[in-house]
Amino acid sequence: DIVMTQTPLSSPVTLGQPASITCKSSQSLVHSDGNTYLSWLQQRPGQPPRLLIYKVSNRFSGVPDRFSGSGSGTDFTLKISRVEAEDVGLYYCMQVTQFPFTFGQGTKLEIK
Amino acid sequence: EVQLVESGGGSVQPGGSLRLSCAGSGFTVSTDYMSWVRQAPGKGLEWVSLGHTNGNTYYADSVKGRFTSSRDSAKNMLFLHVNSLRVEDTAVYFCARGRTGDLYWGQGTLVTVSS
């Protein structure tokens, strides 16, 4: 199975400041079709996960442009340009290149 | 609008069974990627099963042989038959549609396994 490792596991951030989460996979996420199936999810307290970013850098419908994704191969990053109060929650990277699909451990974003 | 609504969770003793349901709307359950993902209390996400568009279903090793996913095209529903339940199966079970840029999640249904 592909192991996804996120850092940090906890990220206290000041409102209006940037935040960054990294995700490393134990093997390349490049699919045989040439796509890299790395996604980022947000889970607000008491809510189900929701998709933010897919295929490394594509924002899902309705996701604010302060969220951006980058990376390639085995190393990926989620950036929030200016953190807002509604961004508090857990963030997960996930790979859907190979089954079983796997998730990172989750990063808790909180306001200082 | 894509919507998924799970039901069927509850409390059960170890060794028991349940059938979880996921009603889809705004898309066709029988032709899309359909998954079950679970989240134990206070823990992260674990993929349980994937119903592929090729008709095959894949399971996590932790549930293989005990859980079975099926679809009802007439009702536009996804099911998860969970058997031989263990304490460690306690979790919120989410159904999810899609795989990448079309990934939507339901609200989840709680399964508690306890004696």
Side-chain angles (χ1 to χ4, degrees), chain B residues 24-101:
Chain B
S25 58
F27 70 101
T28 303
V29 167
S30 60
T31 57
D32 263 341
Y33 282 96
M34 293 297 303
S35 298
W36 289 97
V37 179
R38 66 184 180 183
Q39 186 172 36
K43 302 295 185 183
L45 300 165
E46 179 188 16
W47 218 289
V48 173
S49 72
L50 168 68
H52 200 285
T53 53
N54 64 14
N56 295 329
T57 304
Y58 304 90
Y59 298 93
D61 286 346
S62 57
V63 307
K64 205 173 290 182
R66 301 188 298 123
F67 291 12
T68 303
S69 180
S70 62
R71 314 187 205 204
D72 185 323
S73 56
K75 296 180 180 178
N76 209 41
M77 293 185 73
L78 176 74
F79 300 101
L80 186 67
H81 305 260
V82 296
N83 300 310
S84 304
L85 282 164
R86 305 167 180 168
V87 171
E88 56 265 33
D89 294 320
T90 294
V92 175
Y93 285 73
F94 299 101
C95 71
R97 173 257 186 170
R99 176 184 171 196
T100 177

Side-chain angles (χ1 to χ4, degrees), chain B residues 4-9 20-23 36 93-96 105-109:
Chain B
L4 302 106
V5 179
E6 299 93 335
S7 60
L20 308 183
S21 302
C22 172
W36 289 97
Y93 285 73
F94 299 101
C95 71
W105 298 71
Q107 291 292 316
T109 187

Side-chain angles (χ1 to χ4, degrees), chain A residues 84-105:
Chain A
E84 297 188 5
E86 65 178 18
D87 299 336
V88 165
L90 286 163
Y91 291 79
Y92 295 92
C93 61
M94 59 176 268
Q95 67 81 20
V96 293
T97 291
Q98 176 185 122
F99 201 77
F101 300 159
T102 47
F103 300 90
Q105 318 96 299

Side-chain angles (χ1 to χ4, degrees), chain A residues 30-73:
Chain A
V30 180
H31 193 273
S32 57
D33 66 7
N35 289 304
T36 301
Y37 293 105
L38 184 284
S39 300
W40 290 95
L41 308 175
Q42 177 195 61
Q43 188 175 30
R44 290 174 173 148
Q47 294 294 313
R50 72 158 178 147
L51 181 64
L52 292 178
I53 303 285
Y54 63 96
K55 287 197 287 186
V56 180
S57 60
N58 296 274
R59 265 190 306 277
F60 189 54
S61 174
V63 174
D65 61 7
R66 65 178 182 274
F67 290 92
S68 64
S70 63
S72 63

